[in-house]
């Protein structure tokens, strides 16, 4: 069966990465919840997608330039007053559920990794005793490796941007992944074919898809029988998976 991951807590259904989105996702028949983690200036871990505050909050500028005391006063757009959550708060929303935590370890503005961030995220999961139900992902292969060197999750995944897949080619993507000891790839849904899924699996790697946000993309990934995909429409994905069963 293909697992479904509610992307940013179901970003087309509820305000992304909000308590509202996570509490609603916790009630769904999904296997995973995806969310994004940045550091604050004072070393806390917060759940927000962008490296800057402008798009999804009433604040401005880089997330990592502010302390939690200031960030916690900002309102997430569309939530009716909710603030952003700490990583620990998201963990507690899902602790009573069987849903796997699928964390994306983010980088700072201009795609510069935050020093020590990946290791800190991994150690936070270890401290919260949820490593064995966590999947660590990043678009930066070095970030995935840094996290896993600090604490080993149930699974770790390199998310590959289409440009990277095109520029270095699938064979090099696979070689880099295996060379780094990473067991799984996540490719953008439009970059996946039956042949590519077969090639990745033949190399001994798991295969997932991302950005499956409409009925056509969801149908495609269900037909390809990938291991997992992320979707902003978990409701649609659940319905389409049920209809195929
Ligand atoms: Fe993400």
């Amino acid at each position: 069966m293909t697992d479904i991951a509610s992307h940013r807590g179901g970003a087309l259904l509820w305000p992304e990465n909000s308590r509202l989105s996570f509490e609603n996702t916790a009630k769904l028949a999904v296997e995973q919840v995806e969310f994004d983690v940045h550091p604050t200036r004072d070393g806390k871990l917060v759940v927000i997608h962008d490296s800057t505050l402008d798009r999804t909050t009433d604040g401005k500028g880089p997330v990592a330039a502010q302390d939690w005391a200031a960030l916690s006063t900002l309102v997430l757009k569309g939530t009716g007053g909710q603030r952003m959550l700490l990583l620990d708060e998201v963990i507690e929303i899902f602790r009573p559920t069987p849903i796997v935590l699928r964390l994306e370890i983010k980088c700072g503005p201009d795609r510069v990794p935050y020093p020590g961030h990946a290791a800190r995220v991994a150690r936070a999961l270890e401290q919260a005793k949820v490593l064995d139900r966590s999947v660590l992902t990043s678009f930066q292969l070095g970030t995935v490796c840094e996290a896993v060197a600090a604490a080993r999750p149930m699974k770790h995944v390199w998310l590959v941007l289409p440009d990277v897949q095109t520029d270095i080619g699938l064979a090099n993507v696979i070689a880099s992944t295996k060379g780094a000891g990473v067991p799984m790839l996540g490719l953008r849904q439009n970059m996946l074919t039956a042949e590519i899924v077969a090639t990745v699996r033949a190399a001994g790697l798991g295969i997932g898809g991302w950005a499956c946000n409409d009925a056509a993309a969801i149908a495609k990934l269900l037909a390809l029988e990938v291991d997992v995909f992320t979707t902003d429409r978990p409701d649609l994905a659940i319905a389409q998976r049920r209809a195929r069963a």
Side-chain angles (χ1 to χ4, degrees), residues 48-91:
I48 184 168
H49 179 271
D50 296 1
S51 62
T52 53
L53 297 161
D54 305 59
R55 181 177 63 87
T56 59
T57 81
D58 60 355
K60 280 192 185 340
V63 175
Q66 298 201 33
D67 291 341
W68 170 242
L71 292 172
S72 65
T73 67
L74 302 178
V75 171
L76 293 179
K77 290 177 185 172
T79 61
Q82 293 184 349
R83 61 163 171 78
M84 76 178 74
L85 297 175
L86 294 162
L87 171 60
D88 282 338
E89 293 176 310
V90 177
I91 290 172

Side-chain angles (χ1 to χ4, degrees), residues 8 13 33 77 79 86 89 91 123 136 142 207 213:
R8 303 184 204 167
L13 298 176
V33 57
K77 290 177 185 172
T79 61
L86 294 162
E89 293 176 310
I91 290 172
R123 284 196 298 265
L136 291 179
I207 180 73
N213 296 330

Side-chain angles (χ1 to χ4, degrees), residues 3-244:
D3 287 347
I4 297 169
S6 180
H7 183 240
R8 303 184 204 167
L12 281 171
L13 298 176
W14 306 291
E16 65 181 54
N17 287 326
S18 66
R19 177 172 288 280
L20 196 61
S21 72
F22 294 131
E23 288 181 348
N24 278 300
T25 286
K27 297 177 200 154
L28 296 179
V30 295
E31 287 71 32
Q32 301 190 3
V33 57
E34 193 270 357
F35 54 90
D36 310 282
V37 185
H38 287 268
T40 70
R41 187 171 63 178
D42 54 340
K44 298 213 163 21
L45 297 170
V46 286
V47 175
I48 184 168
H49 179 271
D50 296 1
S51 62
T52 53
L53 297 161
D54 305 59
R55 181 177 63 87
T56 59
T57 81
D58 60 355
K60 280 192 185 340
V63 175
Q66 298 201 33
D67 291 341
W68 170 242
L71 292 172
S72 65
T73 67
L74 302 178
V75 171
L76 293 179
K77 290 177 185 172
T79 61
Q82 293 184 349
R83 61 163 171 78
M84 76 178 74
L85 297 175
L86 294 162
L87 171 60
D88 282 338
E89 293 176 310
V90 177
I91 290 172
E92 293 315 316
I93 292 170
F94 289 97
R95 197 185 289 279
T97 77
I99 296 174
V100 165
L101 309 170
R102 185 181 187 88
L103 288 80
E104 185 182 342
I105 304 172
K106 285 296 194 182
C107 50
D110 301 322
R111 311 189 59 75
V112 178
Y114 302 112
H117 176 53
R120 202 177 312 143
V121 171
R123 284 196 298 265
L125 296 171
E126 187 172 43
Q127 245 168 26
K129 299 191 164 46
V130 290
L131 260 184
D132 61 348
R133 54 177 292 181
S134 297
V135 175
L136 291 179
T137 76
S138 173
F139 283 102
Q140 298 179 304
L141 184 55
T143 296
V144 179
C145 296
E146 182 195 326
V148 172
R152 203 164 184 84
M154 68 177 277
K155 184 79 85 178
H156 47 298
V157 183
W158 182 27
L159 305 173
V160 182
L161 287 168
D163 279 356
V164 173
Q165 187 178 337
T166 303
D167 288 354
I168 73 172
L170 185 67
N172 285 315
V173 166
I174 289 171
S176 303
T177 309
K178 289 184 72 84
V182 173
M184 190 168 195
L185 279 173
L187 305 186
R188 198 176 198 282
Q189 55 84 10
N190 63 307
M191 301 294 285
L192 280 164
T193 63
E195 192 190 341
I196 287 173
V197 170
T199 302
V200 172
R201 288 221 169 104
L205 297 173
I207 180 73
W210 51 274
C212 308
N213 296 330
D214 59 32
I218 291 166
K220 175 184 166 178
L221 280 260
L222 288 171
L224 286 175
E225 298 182 331
V226 293
D227 298 315
V228 59
F229 63 83
T230 57
T231 176
D232 289 345
R233 285 294 309 272
D235 58 332
L236 201 55
I238 292 163
Q240 287 181 227
R241 186 172 64 179
R242 275 201 190 115
R244 288 174 55 90

